[in-house]
Amino acid sequence: MPLLAIETSCDETSVAVVHEGRVLSNVVSSQTKLHEEYGGVVPELAAREHLRNLLPAARMALREASVSADQIDAVAATRGPGLPSALMVGFKAAQAAAFVLGRPFVGIHHHEAHLYSPWLKGQPPVADFAHFQPNVSLIVSGGHTLLVHVRAELDHHLLGSTVDDAAGECFDKAGKLIGLPYPAGPEIDRLAEGGNPRAYDFPRPMIDDPKDDFSFSGLKTSVRYFLRDHPELLDDAQRLRDLCASVQAAIVDVLVTKTIRAAKRLRVGCVTASGGVSCNRSLRQRLAAACARERILLFLAEKSFCTDNAAMIGILAERKLKLRPAATPHDADILPNWALG
Ligand code: KG4
Ligand code: ZN
């Protein structure tokens, strides 16, 4: 029987229907345009937009899956971490639906769900847990940069996270200094394509630190000073591309080096990556090359599952219900600061 999943932790309203590891529908309504003029996500606007979009998204998800509400066997939603007002909309709607339908409800950790999105492959997407193996997982988004040791299904350990800015935040803030619109990550990716990544030398913070933590605020600051000293550079299209490529190379170098180092230290034969920044083409190529060199298997989330989506919430919830008693009380509360264990 199918499971209905809802994700509203940040600025994507998403509803999915999954059934036995298969994604029957995954509707994502993105608010990026709405927040663009503010240069970041405005929590109250996000919550209001989730309220507006949630029911239409749910209707569409059920229709695309050819499933009626009374055929839903369980309901899941993101419980945290995330923006409190945004989380509340999806979480409370899901609880109410589960209560009215008399079905179990599962509250899901957003980052734990990201650990499973790289296993979704094919069309329609199916979770390939037959080939699941212990891995080191990189989760890189606008709000988070995490390195996680996934020892087995539903058994993980947080290795490290950012001590200041997230990798996506660094892309966005550096891009703002360069004059690019929010979110700047995709634009830097595009401009970097025609640039020389060795043109300018930016710091690779904590790259040699044996810990698995990250730091990106120093890199952003060095871009600020660099532009203060070379403002003329922004008027030259080729040098602008070189700048984007050089900033991107610094971020990607740190992410790839630390991920591969952790995988080798923990002797895992598999690396996975998800989160908005894992759409970055250079990161994908560099991870692929490094993993091939080290004979490590690489599972990158497909681009539609890199960014926030309810399919990953549903897939994990289904797995939890199957492998261990996992129901969350119908009156449980959101956990906006829920740490990944
Ligand atoms: O996972 P996501 O959609 O949302 C959350 O942050 O929760 O990630 C958005 C982040 C933004 O910082 C955006 O600039 C970055 O992912 N991003 C990229 C690319 N696509 C999205 N950064 C670099 N290259 C990209 N192609
Ligand atoms: Zn996310």
Side-chain angles (χ1 to χ4, degrees), residues 178 199-200 202 226-227 229-244:
I178 297 170
Y200 308 108
F202 289 107
F226 180 81
L227 284 170
D229 298 340
H230 305 90
E232 75 290 349
L233 192 146
L234 296 180
D235 300 326
D236 180 321
Q238 184 53 44
R239 292 176 78 194
L240 181 66
R241 283 195 285 272
D242 291 344
L243 174 62
C244 288

Side-chain angles (χ1 to χ4, degrees), residues 67-227:
V67 166
S68 62
D70 57 359
Q71 288 174 313
I72 291 295
D73 201 34
V75 184
T78 306
R79 189 173 183 187
L83 303 170
S85 53
L87 278 171
M88 196 98 75
V89 177
F91 189 76
K92 287 292 156 189
Q95 276 179 325
F99 176 74
V100 169
L101 294 168
R103 301 297 191 204
F105 170 71
V106 195
I108 292 290
H109 192 293
H110 180 84
H111 297 137
E112 189 181 2
H114 268 300
L115 299 176
Y116 296 89
S117 57
W119 299 90
L120 284 168
K121 300 284 174 206
Q123 202 48 256
V126 180
D128 178 16
F129 289 122
H131 296 102
F132 184 90
Q133 54 172 299
N135 62 75
V136 161
S137 190
L138 175 69
I139 303 175
V140 262
S141 70
H144 298 276
T145 306
L146 306 174
L147 212 46
V148 186
H149 182 198
V150 186
R151 291 176 286 226
E153 270 190 77
L154 310 189
D155 176 11
H156 57 261
H157 165 69
L158 178 65
L159 297 168
S161 58
T162 180
V163 296
D164 42 53
D165 290 354
E169 205 174 346
C170 186
F171 269 107
D172 295 340
K173 288 180 175 171
K176 189 173 178 192
L177 293 168
I178 297 170
L180 303 174
Y182 171 86
E187 193 63 10
I188 291 184
D189 185 348
R190 195 181 65 75
L191 289 166
E193 201 174 15
N196 175 6
R198 280 177 289 276
Y200 308 108
D201 191 20
F202 289 107
R204 272 74 170 151
M206 291 180 84
I207 197 165
D208 294 321
D209 190 312
K211 289 206 213 82
D212 296 312
D213 288 328
F214 299 88
S215 164
F216 289 104
S217 70
L219 171 51
K220 169 204 66 197
T221 306
S222 74
V223 174
R224 182 191 304 277
Y225 289 143
F226 180 81
L227 284 170

Side-chain angles (χ1 to χ4, degrees), residues 12 141-143 168-169 171-172 183-186 189 275-277 279-280 306-308:
E12 260 96 28
S141 70
E169 205 174 346
F171 269 107
D172 295 340
D189 185 348
V277 178
C279 289
N280 183 270
C306 282
T307 47
D308 291 346

Side-chain angles (χ1 to χ4, degrees), residues 7-8 11-15 27-29 31 49-50 53-54 57:
E7 151 66 37
T8 62
D11 61 343
E12 260 96 28
T13 315
S14 181
V15 183
V27 175
V28 182
S29 169
Q31 308 176 4
E49 200 65 7
H50 286 314
N53 293 335
L54 188 57

